[in-house]
Amino acid sequence: MGKGTALVTGASSGIGKAFCRALAERGYDLILVARSRGPLQELAEELAAGYGVAAEVLSADLSTEDGVDAVSARIAETPHLTALVNSAGDALDGFFASTDIGRQTASVRLHDLAAVRLTHAALPVMLRRGRGDIVNLSSMAAFFPFPGSAVYGAAKAFTASFTETLALELKGTGLRVQALCPGFTRTQFHGRMGMDVSAIPEWMWMSPEEVAAESLRALERGRVICIPGLKNKLMAASFKLPRPLLQRGSFLLWRLLERSRSR
């Protein structure tokens, strides 16, 4: 990646925040997007003081039309935009039939529709310059059906498929796109879901900083689908199993975790 301006959604915490620090270290100016202005302002001051970059705060709720409109407009006004990281996401856990449909559809708007619209807004800016990088945060859940995450997994599968196809459409333009598909990452995500992850062994976890760093390295190598971490890459081999076996394994893993939580 070269220097320029990077816009990062979900910038106030987790993987998004790690991307902001990694990009600032590389000399990027930042536009930080999230719902909560306070944490964004603190991060902006940290990045400006620590790396000497410009860091702008843009508070927006990307699960709403108004929020997406505001960020899309800001993208269109940024002629030196050279990186877009769509990492905004929410925490939603529970069986589809018993979870509020309003929350489910808001999750789709945030994970999928917002990323699609912001990507569409960024492409004319980047294509005019003949360079630019877009990272869309997907998940290993995109490939692995898991009870309690029907909408989340499907949303992440959309992100991966959308990004992979977009990469083919952009061949020869100088633009690079990536679907980042991490596994278990130490963020606030699972806590906001009310999900007990104590049964997940320590070796399965990565830090947000590790995920962001591997994503950027993979982007430099032209990797469109990035599954960070050797352990996650090895686990991804199960995705090639016949679907009935994969579904059965997923169900058994879910039951094992449920039993461990109830002890």
Side-chain angles (χ1 to χ4, degrees), residues 11-249:
S12 62
S13 64
I15 294 173
K17 191 173 186 177
F19 265 108
C20 291
R21 288 173 173 152
L23 291 168
E25 186 178 12
R26 286 163 172 75
Y28 277 83
D29 293 327
L30 274 298
I31 301 174
L32 314 177
V33 180
R35 286 179 296 183
S36 302
R37 176 171 289 275
L40 286 181
Q41 192 61 50
E42 291 178 10
L43 179 60
E45 293 170 3
E46 172 198 322
L47 298 177
Y51 301 102
V53 299
E56 174 188 338
V57 169
L58 178 54
S59 178
D61 183 352
L62 294 177
S63 67
T64 69
E65 287 291 324
D66 288 346
V68 176
D69 286 344
V71 180
S72 296
R74 186 65 187 86
I75 287 172
E77 298 166 358
T78 308
H80 298 293
L81 183 77
T82 49
L84 170 66
V85 180
N86 286 309
S87 63
D90 67 352
L92 187 63
D93 184 44
F95 278 21
F96 179 72
S98 56
T99 303
D100 178 70
I101 190 60
R103 292 185 63 207
Q104 300 278 17
T105 54
S107 181
V108 173
R109 286 196 299 272
L110 177 60
H111 289 113
D112 291 338
L113 297 183
V116 167
R117 285 195 54 194
L118 299 188
T119 298
H120 195 266
L123 286 177
V125 179
M126 294 178 173
L127 286 168
R128 279 196 295 270
R129 303 186 70 206
R131 61 189 288 255
D133 298 305
I134 298 173
V135 176
N136 292 324
L137 183 59
S138 181
S139 169
M140 286 184 68
F143 314 107
F144 194 76
F146 198 77
S149 61
V151 167
Y152 177 80
K156 292 305 186 181
F158 175 93
T159 299
S161 178
F162 165 69
T163 306
E164 195 169 22
T165 304
L166 182 61
L168 297 177
E169 295 181 1
L170 293 173
K171 276 188 175 296
T173 65
L175 275 62
R176 302 179 296 193
V177 296
Q178 179 191 99
L180 173 59
C181 305
F184 289 107
T185 308
R186 291 290 185 193
T187 68
Q188 301 171 357
F189 183 81
H190 300 95
R192 291 200 302 266
M193 293 172 76
M195 184 177 176
D196 181 3
V197 293
S198 59
I200 307 298
E202 184 63 32
W203 64 266
M204 292 182 67
W205 293 89
M206 293 182 70
S207 72
E209 292 74 21
E210 289 171 326
V211 170
E214 185 154 345
S215 169
L216 294 175
R217 286 194 298 269
L219 191 65
E220 291 291 345
R221 300 186 192 111
R223 302 276 175 80
V224 177
I225 299 293
C226 173
I227 297 177
L230 177 59
K231 51 207 166 187
N232 289 326
K233 289 180 174 66
L234 292 174
M235 289 174 61
S238 68
F239 303 155
K240 298 178 182 179
L241 290 172
R243 296 305 291 183
L245 287 179
L246 185 60
Q247 292 159 12
R248 180 63 176 166

Side-chain angles (χ1 to χ4, degrees), residues 5-16:
T5 299
L7 186 144
V8 181
T9 71
S12 62
S13 64
I15 294 173

